[in-house]
Amino acid sequence: MKIYTRGGDKGKTQLIGCKEVHKHSQRIEAYGTLDEVNSFIGLALANGLSTEAMMDELHRIQHLLFDCGTDLATPPEAMTEGRVQQQHVDWLEERIDHYTSVLPPLQSFILPGGSTGAAHLHVARTVARRAEREVMRLSATEAVYPDTMSFINRLSDYLFVAARFINLEDGKEEYVYQSQK
């Protein structure tokens, strides 16, 4: 497989099914932002996480993010069924509920940070929120698989509790937001 095609030299790229669009189109913005989320998750994994189970979950999420990208790279006229399904959303919700059950209850906003892995997960969380906004912006004008939108919406919640859990496992203190008024 050749890495470069020269097709993008004039600012266009192809969606699945060979439909050509501008590289600045909202569909490209949406799945490009998911690629950023995936990269930050990879960075968190590369910087060490304290639990093998979470590393396995994050690797699964990376694969699911590629599936979300495929769903978003499919033009509406070629859509049949998305790769990301309700079962994937349910799995994320189950993992969120699990981590929430072992974490101290939130009494206030917390500041992103802690261990290196947790800090990278917080960055991934903020990029996931941006990806969600990009996907919602796309859905205002073009069809997007509902399960893909739900998965992306839950992802930022998962990354938030995952970062908190890593800090708990690593014995890192959570710093509570304090108004500077």
Side-chain angles (χ1 to χ4, degrees):
M1 178 169 140
K2 205 169 190 178
I3 298 298
Y4 62 90
T5 64
R6 295 186 177 125
D9 293 351
K10 294 185 178 160
K12 294 204 171 185
T13 191
Q14 286 187 346
L15 299 176
I16 293 172
C18 298
K19 178 180 179 182
E20 195 172 72
V21 296
H22 288 280
K23 285 190 170 191
H24 64 269
S25 77
Q26 188 57 45
R27 193 164 286 279
I28 305 305
E29 287 291 334
Y31 72 71
T33 307
L34 285 182
D35 192 31
E36 290 180 57
V37 175
N38 209 337
S39 294
F40 278 112
I41 290 172
L43 189 60
L45 287 163
N47 279 289
L49 298 175
S50 56
T51 163
E52 189 75 28
M54 175 150 318
M55 290 174 68
D56 290 343
E57 288 174 14
L58 288 167
H59 279 118
R60 181 176 180 191
I61 287 170
Q62 286 188 298
H63 289 281
L64 285 164
L65 283 170
F66 265 89
D67 289 340
C68 286
T70 300
D71 289 349
L72 291 171
T74 304
E77 59 272 13
M79 289 183 175
T80 54
E81 183 178 48
R83 290 178 182 221
V84 175
Q85 301 287 313
Q86 183 60 44
Q87 68 192 26
H88 302 113
V89 178
D90 294 342
W91 173 74
L92 265 187
E93 289 176 349
E94 184 274 321
R95 299 316 304 150
I96 292 165
D97 292 343
H98 166 74
Y99 291 121
T100 301
S101 75
V102 298
L103 288 166
L106 282 175
Q107 304 297 322
S108 180
F109 290 109
I110 60 167
L111 300 177
S115 70
T116 302
H120 287 306
L121 290 176
H122 276 295
V123 173
R125 171 187 57 81
T126 63
V127 179
R129 292 242 190 248
R130 180 164 38 93
E132 180 185 6
R133 292 189 301 271
E134 296 290 352
V135 170
M136 293 303 160
R137 190 173 292 118
L138 173 64
S139 74
T141 58
E142 295 185 55
V144 176
Y145 296 110
D147 294 334
T148 301
M149 291 193 306
S150 296
F151 182 85
I152 295 166
N153 178 262
R154 291 313 173 283
L155 181 59
S156 57
D157 295 330
Y158 170 88
L159 292 168
F160 176 74
V161 296
R164 291 191 69 216
F165 182 77
I166 290 300
N167 278 333
L168 179 70
E169 287 288 299
D170 291 348
K172 297 289 183 178
E173 182 179 350
E174 289 184 319
Y175 291 96
V176 175
Y177 160 75
Q178 298 173 355
S179 174
Q180 300 300 296
K181 263 184 150 176

